[in-house]
Amino acid sequence: MVTTEEYANEHGISPRRVRALAAAGRIPAQRVGSSWAIEAGARHEASRAPRPMGGKMRALLIRALRDQSLVGLTGPDRIRVARHLAALRTADEPASLLRAWFRDDVPTGWSPGELIVRQAHEGRDDRVTALVRRPRRTFASTPERLARTITDERTIRQLSRAELAARAGVAADVLAELERGRLGVGVGAMRSVLRALDVEPLALPPVTMEPGR
């Protein structure tokens, strides 16, 4: 087995792309904590041209790009949009993905999501890459908002609770309390979880510090 960096160097692709291929099952790999172990000598499957999205999914993705969240989404729509956001964040050329998904249906509005798609069609690829990969900044000023932020980002990043807890260095029950919107978790634990998700909180809910939390 080799690391993602070793596989990337051998095949001339980025480590980000290797992780995306492993997550999609397109190369033989095993999850080891928060990393991937790739089968030595494995060849990745050639990528298939992305299919255009239907109108409903385009609208949902634009809204998700606007908020950088899965707010209001449930069931299969939540899962699909999370996968699309993850694909954009890990793609070597996210603007190309957006052009393939939207084809000639270029949005004309001025919301952040519509602007990102329009810039992809205008060939502003570097700008699109910077926008879709930028750290998320959010007001998590209530336990409910904090819980939604953590749950959304964990879903987009395809992490289990155990994986996120290990990455953040907090106990699994502390993470569970945060995702349930419970009070009583210390600020340090909140910041550790958000840092592990590359989220910058502009506000956090007021809490009472507890020993060891």
Side-chain angles (χ1 to χ4, degrees):
M1 306 296 282
V2 297
T3 66
T4 54
E5 288 75 15
E6 290 168 337
Y7 187 90
N9 289 334
E10 180 182 351
H11 293 271
I13 58 179
S14 69
R16 182 185 294 270
R17 180 62 175 161
V18 175
R19 289 190 289 271
L21 290 169
R26 289 172 50 198
I27 51 175
Q30 295 179 3
R31 196 68 179 262
V32 181
S34 59
S35 303
W36 289 96
I38 316 298
E39 185 177 307
R43 302 290 299 179
H44 61 273
E45 298 177 16
S47 60
R48 296 182 291 272
R51 297 172 58 185
M53 286 181 175
K56 175 185 176 182
M57 187 53 58
R58 291 178 181 181
L60 293 178
L61 181 60
I62 284 174
R63 187 174 71 180
L65 284 170
R66 177 195 67 196
D67 301 324
Q68 285 296 307
S69 76
L70 305 176
V71 63
L73 297 173
T74 59
D77 285 343
R78 178 180 174 85
I79 295 171
R80 292 190 189 103
V81 172
R83 287 176 177 167
H84 290 317
L85 287 177
L88 283 174
R89 291 180 181 182
T90 58
D92 289 334
E93 298 179 356
S96 295
L97 263 185
L98 288 172
R99 286 191 288 268
W101 287 342
F102 282 77
R103 295 293 169 92
D104 297 326
D105 187 9
V106 183
T108 58
W110 295 94
S111 74
E114 290 169 309
L115 286 172
I116 290 173
V117 176
R118 194 154 66 246
Q119 288 178 83
H121 281 81
E122 292 170 354
R124 301 176 65 183
D125 292 24
D126 289 345
R127 177 61 176 162
V128 172
T129 298
L131 288 172
V132 301
R133 293 181 185 169
R134 73 188 186 278
R136 180 177 172 184
R137 306 177 75 211
T138 186
F139 284 94
S141 54
T142 67
E144 294 75 19
R145 287 180 178 176
L146 178 63
R148 184 167 61 243
T149 297
I150 293 172
T151 304
D152 282 358
E153 281 298 313
R154 183 170 65 80
T155 301
I156 293 169
R157 293 169 184 270
Q158 302 176 52
L159 295 170
S160 67
R161 273 187 180 171
E163 289 170 335
L164 177 55
R167 180 177 292 188
V170 303
D173 63 330
V174 170
L175 178 58
E177 289 183 16
L178 285 173
E179 290 198 349
R180 294 186 186 112
R182 301 278 179 85
L183 294 172
V185 176
V187 172
M190 293 182 191
R191 291 192 178 279
S192 293
V193 171
L194 292 173
R195 193 180 305 116
L197 293 169
D198 201 19
V199 173
E200 179 184 344
L202 301 178
L204 287 172
V207 296
T208 301
M209 294 294 289
E210 294 182 4
R213 306 302 287 274

